[in-house]
Amino acid sequence: MVPVTFVLFGATGDLAKRKIYPALYNLFVDGKLPEAFSLIGLGRREWTDEFFQSNVEQSLRQFSRREIQDHGKMESFVRKFRYTALEIGRTDDYKKLLQVIEERESELQLPPNRLFYLSVGPEYFTTIASNIAESGLGSADGWKRLVIEKPFGHDLQSARDLNEQLSKSFAEDEIYRIDHYLGKPMVQNLEVLEQANPIIQALWSNRYIANVQITASETVGVEERAGYYDHVGAVRDMFQNHMLQMLMMLAIHLPHNSSPEDVRKHKKQVMEALVPLSKSDVSASVIRGQYTSGSMGGNPVKGYRSEPGIAAASMNDTYIAAKLQVDDFFWRGVPFYIRTGKRLKEKSTRIVVEFKEALNQPSTAALGGAPNLLLIDINPNEGIMLQLNTKENGELKPVQIQLHESSKDIPEAYENLIFDALTGNPTFFAHWDEVELAWSWVQPILDAFRDNSVPLHSYEAGSNGPAEADALLAADGYHWWFDSKEEQQTNGKEDKYAYQIGH
Ligand SMILES: NC(=O)C1=CN([C@@H]2O[C@H](COP(=O)(O)OP(=O)(O)OC[C@H]3O[C@@H](n4cnc5c(N)ncnc54)[C@H](OP(=O)(O)O)[C@@H]3O)[C@@H](O)[C@H]2O)C=CC1
Ligand SMILES: O=C1O[C@H](COP(=O)(O)O)[C@@H](O)[C@H](O)[C@H]1O
């Protein structure tokens, strides 16, 4: 692997501690970090290298998916880390940083390949990018890359402004916009599922698919992020990025041996085919919700407006469901239902593809069966399940066949994404075209929410969300799958439908 210096802005922060250090450590253990690797951590705090290294060590003990058993290995990992205090707005600090980087490069004989990872608030992105460019931190004798965390903008205009600013210092192919859902193994698998399986490929269109349901439900509430979340809501926090990325990954039809450019080109085509909503369409296709008090796992929990730091009359959305249409040759007429929310009954991210009934035959439901379904479990369980019908005692009976269940010892999203950024593979990062099209599609929803021209439905914490989201599907003759206990796949015998190969 190509030697590199990893320059981490926000090295003293929460994301670095919980995600970035553990990801780098697990890459190191798996032999997926370059032999010659240096990390320079940056923050305002006046830390020594030793203090920084011991913080990194502590974060590995607390957050790494692997238990730290080999102390020697961990020592050799943290020895690659150095710390320098830097104030983002102070240009002199970048000159000092350049010196530190060059000293380490010469000590370790590294070429000037530099990856700048911005694990700081979005208000700092443009200042950092321009200071990097102006201080000569990008060298003509090596490459430079910029990895940025979300949120990428607050709406369409601010995202465009941000991109314009960044592009003065970094070319598009040097910018890696993280969407951690794109790092999840099952989301990465979506590309292959259709491409590498002729059976699925043959069925993957409006000819056989009735509807697609994409759900990301969370049990957590707003936690300690009130200041951020109350201005953002589910639509910006999850829908504009993670949910639309999952839709793109499911709906693309890729040619064989596709390149990263093919993936991006086809994702862009999906976004271009999304039927736009006018502001006045929003109330017919979008459900906005906010949680009230309720109970989670038997414990009472507060409603959103009583959470610390949340405005008492907040109209912020903690839930959103929407019906989308992809108007292209493959998907015309197939509704995509998407929903995400906080303080829901379970933590689960999944995609359900519901197939149409057989032609010229009575409905399978009338005979005791159920529609054929393909369930793609993304998080926290990972797996694929196919629901078919069989006959038992003269009656149809749905059975669920577990096609794939991932082992627990698999890389986390951040490991996959950091590895790709280090090796220069942009496939699973959000290209500007996708981000812009996603903001464009979402903008009428933002406007309607801001103007309160759509109702804010309340739902009890611990429920499946507002009843109005059920009505969105019922109007088309469908319902959300796997919301009720008896439909749920439980790996167990009490499950009404469960039938599992090998169990
Ligand atoms: N935490 C998470 O789970 C997630 C975070 N994100 C995104 O990641 C980014 C970082 O989040 P998070 O780690 O939680 O934030 P924190 O507030 O925990 O950390 C912020 C970091 O920025 C540094 N910093 C702030 N201001 C300055 C400044 N003026 N000069 C130099 N350094 C500065 C801080 O260093 P110091 O205090 O030493 O000055 C600290 O290291 C944000 O964009 C967030 O939206 C995205 C997904 C999940
Ligand atoms: O980006 C975000 O994602 C998390 C949910 O991520 P997951 O991997 O646990 O599904 C969400 O809680 C957070 O609000 C949001 O900013």
Side-chain angles (χ1 to χ4, degrees), residues 297-345:
N299 300 314
V301 294
K302 290 182 175 145
Y304 180 69
R305 291 178 183 179
S306 309
E307 299 269 23
I310 299 297
S314 172
M315 294 294 285
N316 191 33
D317 48 302
T318 62
Y319 178 98
I320 178 171
K323 173 180 168 180
L324 296 85
Q325 303 274 352
V326 180
D327 188 27
D328 68 9
F329 172 79
F330 293 103
W331 297 109
R332 189 161 300 131
V334 179
F336 283 73
Y337 304 107
I338 297 186
R339 61 178 170 167
T340 181
K342 296 215 181 270
R343 281 281 188 244
L344 294 170
K345 191 161 84 183

Side-chain angles (χ1 to χ4, degrees), residues 458-474:
S458 48
Y459 62 97
E460 209 175 293
S463 70
N464 283 322
E468 289 76 6
D470 298 339
L472 190 68
L473 277 71

Side-chain angles (χ1 to χ4, degrees), residues 10-16 18 42-45 83 86-89 118-122 124-125 149-151 225 228 414:
T12 56
D14 179 68
L15 182 70
R18 287 194 307 111
L42 306 167
R44 281 171 301 192
R45 288 165 232 196
Y83 182 82
L86 172 142
E87 163 57 57
I88 287 167
L118 311 196
S119 180
V120 293
Y124 295 122
F125 292 171
E149 280 293 337
K150 62 167 257 221
R225 298 165 79 208
Y228 157 79
Y414 271 85

Side-chain angles (χ1 to χ4, degrees), residues 150 180-181 184 218 220 225 228-229 237-238 242 342 347 349 379:
K150 62 167 257 221
H180 81 277
Y181 270 56
K184 290 183 189 280
E218 296 194 79
V220 291
R225 298 165 79 208
Y228 157 79
Y229 195 80
D237 187 46
M238 294 287 291
H242 307 322
K342 296 215 181 270
K347 169 72 183 164
T349 304
N379 190 29

